[in-house]
Amino acid sequence: MNIKKHIPNLITLINLFCGCIAVVFVSKGNFEMAFYMVCLGIFFDFFDGFFARLFKVSSPLGLQLDSLADMVTSGVAPGYVMYSLFLKSANPNDEIALTIIPFLGFIVTLGSCYRLANFNIDTRQTDSFIGLPTPANALFILSLPLVIEYSDSLVIFGILTNHWVLLAITLCSAYILNAEIPLFALKIKKFTVKDNVLQIVFLLISLLLVVTLQYIAIPLIIIFYVLLSVVNNLFLKK
């Protein structure tokens, strides 16, 4: 029995397990622990592919398992968070806002599902991404309740508890996941500064934002990632 070929799939299942725990934490209103469990799941999501390549045991089964695990960690969990944010922002006297509108948060889950299914059959995304990867989108969504909780700004609180803003974020999230926008990958293949200028700039600015802004930095980093990719694409066309 070749133990090596099972290691990547086991890591993928740990990612799924983290996603399941994150969903439980969201149901209990513990968004901080949900965020950390999604982060842990994304960590394992990175290393399942790493070990599959290292041991040369990549397989169609591993590819399907990876997408199914991501569907929970980076699809169901952020959708549930958006549902919860809609619920918290609803007027307690508005029955529609309490019973119907919160379910719109799961549009994030639908967009993630389509993205993951499309990724498996899209041969263009081997070295870079087209559309925002589901883990990045999950971090963006999971960070929102933490920004609300830990920010002292009444403006930020007002914005992120407005159901129209939440609806805009939800729709933009589903769109950017599947948009035909090339985004650079963070994988380093050649260990030279010249070949990794974009990645180095992104990582340094991201680190600076995290140190100075903490949780508020996370959605800003994801937005910066998309904008930097768009600017990079414009330069490549010239």
Side-chain angles (χ1 to χ4, degrees), residues 77-136:
Y80 198 177
V81 167
M82 286 306 301
Y83 167 88
S84 301
L85 289 177
F86 271 116
L87 201 60
K88 287 178 179 292
S89 69
N91 184 333
N93 299 317
D94 189 337
E95 187 176 348
I96 293 178
L98 285 172
T99 59
I100 297 176
I101 292 178
F103 288 104
L104 295 176
F106 288 106
I107 290 174
V108 173
T109 303
L110 302 183
S112 299
C113 180
Y114 191 89
R115 155 81 191 182
L116 289 166
N118 190 45
F119 181 81
N120 284 351
I121 60 173
D122 192 340
T123 56
R124 300 173 297 168
Q125 301 190 57
T126 53
D127 296 322
S128 59
F129 302 110
I130 297 175
L132 187 67
T134 52

Side-chain angles (χ1 to χ4, degrees), residues 112-229:
S112 299
C113 180
Y114 191 89
R115 155 81 191 182
L116 289 166
N118 190 45
F119 181 81
N120 284 351
I121 60 173
D122 192 340
T123 56
R124 300 173 297 168
Q125 301 190 57
T126 53
D127 296 322
S128 59
F129 302 110
I130 297 175
L132 187 67
T134 52
N137 185 67
L139 290 178
F140 181 92
I141 301 297
L142 267 291
S143 69
L144 297 180
L146 302 182
V147 171
I148 294 171
E149 183 177 350
Y150 289 101
S151 173
D152 295 326
S153 172
L154 293 177
V155 174
I156 292 177
F157 179 83
I159 290 173
L160 294 181
T161 54
N162 183 296
H163 64 277
W164 291 110
V165 173
L166 293 176
L167 180 59
I169 291 173
T170 300
L171 295 176
C172 286
S173 170
Y175 168 75
I176 200 70
L177 282 166
N178 298 285
E180 287 287 316
I181 303 174
L183 304 176
F184 68 89
L186 294 176
K187 294 177 182 178
I188 295 175
K189 292 190 173 181
K190 297 180 180 179
F191 292 91
T192 61
V193 175
K194 181 181 177 181
D195 292 314
N196 299 288
V197 172
L198 200 62
Q199 288 84 350
I200 292 170
V201 170
F202 173 72
L203 291 173
L204 288 177
I205 292 178
S206 297
L207 182 61
L208 180 63
L209 288 172
V210 169
V211 170
T212 55
L213 299 176
Q214 298 179 329
Y215 287 124
I216 300 175
I218 297 166
L220 295 178
I221 288 170
I222 304 303
I223 293 171
F224 175 59
Y225 171 57
V226 174
L227 293 177
L228 187 60
S229 295

Side-chain angles (χ1 to χ4, degrees), residues 34-99:
F35 173 81
Y36 287 129
M37 291 311 302
V38 166
C39 287
L40 189 59
I42 291 172
F43 172 81
F44 285 113
D45 180 43
F46 173 81
F47 277 102
D48 62 1
F50 173 81
F51 280 106
R53 291 188 295 271
L54 180 66
F55 297 147
K56 298 179 181 178
V57 291
S58 298
S59 68
L61 173 63
L63 180 65
Q64 298 306 318
L65 273 179
D66 188 68
S67 290
L68 290 171
D70 282 348
M71 186 58 220
V72 176
T73 306
S74 299
V76 176
Y80 198 177
V81 167
M82 286 306 301
Y83 167 88
S84 301
L85 289 177
F86 271 116
L87 201 60
K88 287 178 179 292
S89 69
N91 184 333
N93 299 317
D94 189 337
E95 187 176 348
I96 293 178
L98 285 172
T99 59

